[in-house]
Amino acid sequence: MKKLVLLLVVLVFGIIVGGCSNSIDSLIGGDKNANVFTDQGLANKIMDDLKNRPELKGHDLKAMDDIYLMYHKETGMTGRIDVQKPGTTDQVVRYDYKDGKWSDPKPLELIGPGKLEENLGDLNSIDFNKVTDIYKVAEKKLRALKAVK
């Protein structure tokens, strides 16, 4: 269930970005930058790049509830993910994706009464190759809704 929620967050955020620019075409056209929503396998490659960072390679990675992958024709691909720091039970680090690479980790301060493990999902259980398929369905439905207006 968590992996479905994570994929839906990625998709919904992409649609929100499209809504902010008042055009679905701003997400998918007019620019030669790679786009996780239309380029099959790109989301998986981006996540593999993260998993292969020296401090993460070989670890079973746990991600916080939200994973953001965004595309806009002016800025290209960007993303953000918060992962449990390998070898710890109470530390989370953030990685940002921009200009084709992941940033160095930035420690996050955890606040609130919740338990960290209840907000983590296994990153390896998510099939990021499905992002383009989910986007195609959402795009088709959104175009149908716009046609009704």
Side-chain angles (χ1 to χ4, degrees):
M1 183 66 178
K2 279 191 177 196
K3 64 183 174 179
L4 178 60
V5 170
L6 290 172
L7 278 175
L8 290 175
V9 167
V10 169
L11 180 62
V12 168
F13 199 81
I15 291 170
I16 290 170
V17 169
C20 290
S21 64
N22 293 323
S23 171
I24 292 174
D25 293 332
S26 71
L27 279 174
I28 61 173
D31 197 313
K32 300 298 181 197
N33 287 336
N35 179 342
V36 294
F37 300 110
T38 58
D39 297 344
Q40 185 71 37
L42 181 59
N44 201 56
K45 181 200 174 304
I46 289 170
M47 298 313 291
D48 282 348
D49 289 347
L50 176 72
K51 293 174 189 176
N52 286 320
R53 290 183 57 90
E55 70 273 15
L56 301 176
K57 191 171 184 148
H59 293 280
D60 290 326
L61 299 178
K62 306 286 184 196
M64 292 289 286
D65 293 334
D66 301 326
I67 298 172
Y68 298 103
L69 293 173
M70 300 155 276
Y71 172 80
H72 193 275
K73 67 181 180 178
E74 281 85 23
T75 58
M77 282 302 313
T78 59
R80 171 172 285 169
I81 186 170
D82 301 333
V83 297
Q84 182 179 24
K85 185 176 180 180
T88 70
T89 58
D90 61 349
Q91 295 179 35
V92 175
V93 291
R94 172 169 289 165
Y95 291 89
D96 291 301
Y97 184 83
K98 186 175 182 183
D99 298 326
K101 61 184 177 191
W102 288 100
S103 69
D104 289 333
K106 298 172 193 89
L108 296 181
E109 180 181 349
L110 299 176
I111 57 173
K115 295 180 179 179
L116 177 58
E117 65 269 5
E118 293 174 358
N119 295 293
L120 295 172
D122 180 11
L123 195 57
N124 289 322
S125 70
I126 302 170
D127 183 359
F128 286 96
N129 285 316
K130 301 258 187 218
V131 170
T132 52
D133 298 332
I134 293 169
Y135 180 76
K136 287 175 189 174
V137 171
E139 180 187 27
K140 184 177 178 180
K141 290 183 180 205
L142 186 58
R143 286 193 188 274
L145 285 173
K146 283 188 173 193
V148 172
K149 289 184 177 182

